Amino acid sequence: MNIVTQPSVMPAANDACWCGSGRKYKRCHKALEGRVQQGVVSPRRSVPSNIARPPYADSGEVTRWNESAIKSPEIIERMRHAGAIAAEVLRLAGQAVKPGVTTDEIDALVHELCIARNAYPSPLNYMGYPKSVCSSVNEVICHGIPDSRKLEDGDIVNLDVTCFIGGVHGDTNATFAVGAIDDESRALIRATEECTWRGIEAVKSGRPLSDIGRAIEDHAKIHKLGVVRAFVGHGIGEQFHSDIQVLHYFDSRNSVVMRPGMTFTIEPMITLGTWQHKMWDDDWTAVTADGKRTAQFEHTVLVTETGVEVLTGGTGAVSGFSPFSK
Ligand code: MF3
Ligand code: CO
Ligand code: CO
C-alpha cells in the first residue's frame, strides 16, 4: 500500500490535490477540512444474560410483526417506565460530554447505565448497528457510530438513547455543546429544541399527523433553518420502529389521525443549510450534503384524550417541559 502524506505547503484551490486523486484540491482534501473524521470502532460490548433482550439482539435481524398502534393501559404503563429510564440515561450521558472525551467512552457509559437499570441498550445489534448509543457530531445528522474520535472544544454532539425494558422501548435524544460553542451553533440547538416542542404541542387526538410536521417546519422557516426529510419519527412500543411515520415537514399525505393510546416519536433534525444528506461508507452515518451543522432532539410521546404525555420527558429528562410554557 502506498501512503501519501500531506505536504507542508498546500496547492492552490484550483490546482490538483496533493493526494494524487486527480481532483482539484478544493474538491478533494480541502473540502474535508473541519469535517468530522471517522475514528476506530471498538469491539462489540456484551449485555449480561439476566437482562431481557429484544428479538434482534443476537441475530441483528429485525423482523416486524403487527402491533396495534393503540396501546393497552398495561403497555402504556411499561412505556412510561422505559421512557423514564431512557430520559435518565440520556441526561447522565450528557453530563459526560466534554472536550477530550471519545464518543466510544460515552458509548461505554451509556451501555453501563442501561445495564445498571436492567435495560438493554436498544441500538446494540439493531440491524447490525455495532454500538449502544448513536453519537452524531457537528454535520452528522444521525446514526453516528461511537468511535475513537475525541470531542473537541466547540463541537456539538447529539446522543440518541433508546432503552428496552419491560418488553418495550423508550427513545429520546438531545444535542449537547462541547465546551464553548459559537453563537450560530447555540442558536441552532435552541431552535431545534423549540421545533421539537412545537411538534409535541401539535399532538391532538382527532388531528392528522401532518399537523406535527407543519408546526416543526413553520418554526424552522422562521429561523431560516433546513428540515431533514430522509429520517422521520416512528411508532414505538414492543418494537423499536413500528408502522407510524411522523414527518417533520408538512405533507398532507401524512394523514393518519391521532388517537388516544398511540405512541410515537417526534425527532426533527434541523440544519444550518441544506436538508439533503449523504451517507458515509459505513452505511449508518448520515451527514449534511453541504457539511453544515445540524442538531436534533427526540421524545417518545403518548396521545391522550386531552393532549399529549411526553413519556421521555420526566423529571430526569434533559428538558422535561416545553420552552414555550416556561
Ligand atoms: N434511536 C434512533 C431513532 O431515533 C434509531 C437508531 S437505530 C440504530 O429512531 F440502529 F442506529 F440504533
Ligand atoms: Co426514534
Ligand atoms: Co432515537
Side-chain angles (χ1 to χ4, degrees), residues 160 162 171-173 232-234 236 240-241 265 267 296 298:
D160 192 341
T162 313
D171 189 5
T172 182
N173 75 46
V232 301
H234 49 91
I236 183 168
F240 194 168
H241 296 106
T265 71
E267 48 179 303
Q296 182 182 24
E298 174 177 29

Side-chain angles (χ1 to χ4, degrees), residues 35-306:
R35 301 284 172 97
V36 174
Q37 304 292 307
Q38 215 162 330
V40 177
V41 179
S42 66
R44 179 129 68 97
R45 293 177 224 280
S46 60
V47 177
S49 57
N50 61 302
I51 290 177
R53 306 159 81 76
Y56 55 81
D58 297 306
S59 68
E61 271 163 46
V62 175
T63 44
R64 298 263 186 109
W65 64 91
N66 281 327
E67 177 179 344
S68 174
I70 298 182
K71 310 303 182 198
S72 67
E74 188 260 334
I75 292 269
I76 289 169
E77 200 45 47
R78 288 195 258 147
M79 289 189 68
R80 283 195 181 100
H81 184 60
I85 296 287
E88 187 192 17
V89 171
L90 175 62
R91 180 175 57 82
L92 295 171
Q95 288 172 3
V97 168
K98 56 174 194 279
V101 172
T102 69
T103 49
D104 186 61
E105 286 163 351
I106 292 176
D107 181 72
L109 174 65
V110 167
H111 189 82
E112 293 308 324
L113 290 168
C114 290
I115 289 172
R117 288 159 182 75
N118 285 313
Y120 180 94
S122 306
L124 189 61
N125 215 21
Y126 185 81
M127 295 171 72
Y129 185 81
K131 290 287 154 194
S132 299
V133 66
C134 298
S135 57
S136 301
V137 176
N138 299 344
E139 74 271 19
V140 179
I141 296 170
C142 63
H143 304 163
I145 298 172
D147 64 20
S148 59
R149 183 187 180 280
K150 287 185 164 87
L151 293 172
E152 294 171 12
D153 187 53
D155 282 348
I156 61 172
V157 60
N158 177 277
L159 301 178
D160 192 341
V161 170
T162 313
C163 295
F164 178 77
I165 181 165
V168 297
H169 300 266
D171 189 5
T172 182
N173 75 46
T175 302
F176 301 92
V178 184
I181 61 172
D182 59 68
D183 292 345
E184 197 182 34
S185 297
R186 192 185 323 283
L188 170 68
I189 292 175
R190 187 186 172 88
T192 304
E193 188 169 20
E194 288 172 355
C195 280
T196 306
W197 283 97
R198 288 280 158 123
I200 291 169
E201 287 165 0
V203 172
K204 194 172 175 6
S205 176
R207 297 293 307 169
L209 285 170
S210 59
D211 277 12
I212 299 169
R214 190 198 327 256
I216 291 167
E217 187 175 23
D218 284 352
H219 193 68
K221 272 192 184 145
I222 291 172
H223 292 275
K224 300 192 164 57
L225 298 168
V227 179
V228 171
R229 301 169 87 95
F231 302 93
V232 301
H234 49 91
I236 183 168
E238 294 175 272
Q239 297 175 85
F240 194 168
H241 296 106
S242 54
D243 286 348
I244 292 176
Q245 294 201 344
V246 183
L247 276 49
H248 302 118
Y249 55 94
F250 178 70
D251 186 329
S252 62
R253 291 168 295 183
N254 201 199
S255 59
V256 169
V257 173
M258 293 180 256
R259 297 288 176 209
M262 279 185 179
T263 51
F264 49 80
T265 71
I266 299 175
E267 48 179 303
M269 287 138 273
I270 305 296
T271 68
L272 287 176
T274 182
W275 54 270
Q276 281 161 311
H277 78 285
K278 289 193 297 202
M279 295 299 293
W280 279 6
D281 61 9
D282 60 13
D283 279 341
W284 279 106
T285 309
V287 295
T288 55
D290 58 10
K292 292 194 176 159
R293 289 184 172 199
T294 171
Q296 182 182 24
F297 285 81
E298 174 177 29
H299 279 297
T300 298
V301 304
L302 164 72
V303 184
T304 64
E305 297 284 345
T306 52

